[in-house]
Structures are given as C-alpha cells and as structure tokens.
Amino acid sequence: MAKRKQGRLHHLVQILLYPLTWLEERSGLVGGVKYFLFRRVPSDISWGHTLGSAALTAFIVQAVTGVILAMYYTPDPNSAYESIRHITDDVTLGWLVRGMHRWGASVFIILLFLHMGRVFLYGAYKYPRELNWIVGALILVLGMMEGFFGYLLPWDQTAYWATVVGVNLQATGPFVGPFLGDILRGGAEIGPDTLARFYSLHMLVLPGALIGLILLHLYLVVRLGVTSPPWSPGAAGKERPGPPPPKRAGLVEPKPRGSRLR
Ligand code: HEM
C-alpha cells in the first residue's frame, strides 16, 4: 500500500517537473540557474557586498517606472509639460510612479558610487577583475548620461535652463565642442528636435546599452567569483595555506600575477 502511494507521489512529481525537464533538455537553462544560485561565495562577505545587488534593484525600479511613465508621456514641446502634469495629478498613483522615477535616479547614482567605493576599498578591481571595473566605469558614465537626458523631459523652466547650461558646457570644449553642441541640440537652438533626441536616448539607446553592460558585468561577477574582504585569509592576491580547494568548471581563481594557484 505504502509502495503504491510512493509510486503515485513519484509520478505526480514527474508530472509537475515535466516543464522544467522539457526546458532543461532544450536549453540547459535550469542547470544554469542552479549554478548561479548555488555557486560558492566566500563565507566572510558582508553587507558591503549587497551594494551591487542594491544598484541592480534601483535600475530595475527605474526601468519599470520608466515604462509606465512612457505610456502617458508625450515628447512634444507643446504637450510634454501637460502630459507630466496629467501623470502627476490625474493618473491613478501617477504621482507615486513619477516620484519613484525622479528620486530613484539619484538613489541609483548614489548606490553606484557606494558600490564602487566598496570595490575600491576591498581592492576588488585588481587582477583578474580589471575588465569588470572598466565595464562598471562605463555603466557609471551611461547612468549619469541617463540623468542628464531625462532632466529635459518635463519641459519646464528648470529642465530647459539646466539643459541650456549642460549643452553649453559641452559646446565650449576644444575641437569637438561646437560639433557636440549641435548634435545634442539637433540644430542651433534647443527645441522640438532636442526633446525628441533626448527622449530617444533616454528611453531606448542608453537603457539598451546599460542592460547589455549590466548583463556582461554580472556574467563576469559569476565567472570570476566574489572577493573576500582584504583582511580575510582568502582575500584576492593572498596565497592560502594548505592544499588548493577542488576546482569547479567555469570559475577562474583570483590570484596575483605570476603566483601559484591557491
Ligand atoms: C548598474 C550598475 C551595477 C550593478 C547592477 C552591479 C552589480 C554588481 C554585483 C551584483 C556584484 C557582486 C556583489 C557585489 O560586490 O556587490 C558586483 C561586483 C563588482 N562590481 Fe559592480 N555593479 C554595477 C556597477 C559597478 C561600477 C560603477 C563599478 C566600478 C566602476 C563596478 C565594479 C565591480 C567590480 C570590480 C566587482 C567585483 C567585486 C568583487 O569581486 O568583490 N560595478 N557588481
């Protein structure tokens, strides 16, 4: 009787797991997710190590709230301000979504700097993670450009004059300055063409580039592993006493240039 019950349970589990088995056989995705979730991380990581994930969360909040705002916003000088007013005053919870997007932009940049500070202080930018630092630096530049291009979109006095100052700053640069100013403005003056290109850059080009770079960044984090704090015996760049731990496929051990693997 108990055997039959067990058999039925086994059969039920098989049926429930069938979609996952189907997916795994055709893509290997389930194994990939398992590897990601159960990969080893140093035992002495701390709250500082959560700042990268916090920055990722802030980015996702920006993406989701941005998509909702784009459903109501019109990138045209005659109606941009009115569409923002409509979002804030009329649309259900529009004020909340707009507020989250506006304040979230600053939260994202602050978290990026805190995350960068943690990486810098722990020396986690050193070999073999230099490329990930470079990718991170690109993310930071693009993140700040997101803020610059998004600031014009409400098309109010603050937005307009802040953009005049920002574009003029670029335009005074040597050699490429005037050319860059014209490209940013889309002509000799800030107007409808400026708003259209700022909108396109803010909601298509830069988020697309950022998503690509963030995926590359996270791939490198998983591939290279996370560093321990510098005071830990397992910190990057330190030789470990005793035999080396067993190797796992796909992981590059952090080690100083020219030294033996730990
Ligand atoms: C959207 C932006 C970013 C996201 C989502 C992100 C995410 C992460 C995550 C989840 C980690 C692993 C855990 C941790 O250390 O927090 C990490 C590690 C790292 N990040 Fe970022 N990061 C971003 C921006 C940056 C920036 C601006 C830099 C530096 C210029 C940077 C450099 C690094 C480096 C070198 C590591 C490896 C640290 C280690 O192994 O201990 N990241 N990042």
Side-chain angles (χ1 to χ4, degrees):
M1 188 70 175
K3 221 174 173 184
R4 240 186 37 212
K5 241 185 181 174
Q6 235 178 6
R8 270 214 304 262
L9 192 69
H10 178 74
H11 192 61
L12 189 68
V13 171
Q14 292 287 311
I15 292 173
L16 289 177
L17 287 184
Y18 179 73
L20 288 184
T21 322
W22 189 92
L23 191 68
E24 174 65 1
E25 263 178 36
R26 283 153 188 85
S27 66
L29 268 176
V30 179
V33 171
K34 258 191 188 166
Y35 174 82
F36 175 73
L37 291 178
F38 295 101
R39 72 192 195 284
R40 270 200 229 150
V41 293
S43 55
D44 49 5
I45 51 173
S46 61
W47 282 103
H49 283 81
T50 61
L51 288 166
S53 304
L56 180 62
T57 309
F59 180 79
I60 293 171
V61 168
Q62 288 307 96
V64 173
T65 52
V67 167
I68 299 174
L69 289 176
M71 291 174 186
Y72 297 95
Y73 176 75
T74 33
D76 167 59
N78 294 321
S79 42
Y81 183 77
E82 171 51 26
S83 69
I84 294 273
R85 193 211 55 75
H86 173 63
I87 292 169
T88 316
D89 297 341
D90 308 333
V91 176
T92 312
L93 294 182
W95 58 272
L96 181 64
V97 175
R98 184 182 170 209
M100 283 173 76
H101 197 74
R102 207 176 164 87
W103 286 95
S106 305
V107 170
F108 177 55
I109 299 290
I110 291 169
L111 284 171
L112 281 190
F113 274 105
L114 290 176
H115 171 56
M116 243 173 102
R118 199 287 293 168
V119 169
F120 180 74
L121 290 175
Y122 280 26
Y125 56 87
K126 293 181 192 168
Y127 178 82
R129 298 186 178 79
E130 303 97 319
L131 177 63
N132 216 10
W133 176 267
I134 294 168
V135 173
L138 283 175
I139 292 177
L140 181 68
V141 172
L142 295 193
M144 292 200 285
M145 283 167 73
E146 270 287 28
F148 177 68
F149 290 119
Y151 206 80
L152 179 68
L153 302 185
W155 201 253
D156 53 10
Q157 289 291 323
T158 323
Y160 182 85
W161 292 107
T163 304
V164 168
V165 173
V167 172
N168 284 350
L169 272 175
Q170 312 302 318
T172 51
F175 308 115
V176 289
F179 179 64
L180 193 60
D182 281 349
I183 291 192
L184 286 172
R185 278 187 299 261
E189 278 180 20
I190 291 181
D193 289 346
T194 324
L195 187 57
R197 68 185 50 198
F198 271 42
Y199 185 53
S200 155
L201 287 166
H202 181 75
M203 57 92 74
L204 284 173
V205 181
L206 290 173
L210 273 169
I211 289 170
L213 286 172
I214 289 173
L215 289 178
L216 176 61
H217 192 69
L218 297 180
Y219 164 74
L220 288 173
V221 167
V222 174
R223 177 171 167 81
L224 300 170
V226 179
T227 41
S228 293
W231 52 86
S232 151
K238 284 191 187 166
E239 297 266 359
R240 267 199 184 172
K247 296 264 173 295
R248 287 177 305 129
L251 253 193
V252 173
E253 290 276 319
K255 62 174 173 50
R257 226 178 256 114
S259 78
R260 272 185 44 240
L261 281 179
R262 61 188 178 84

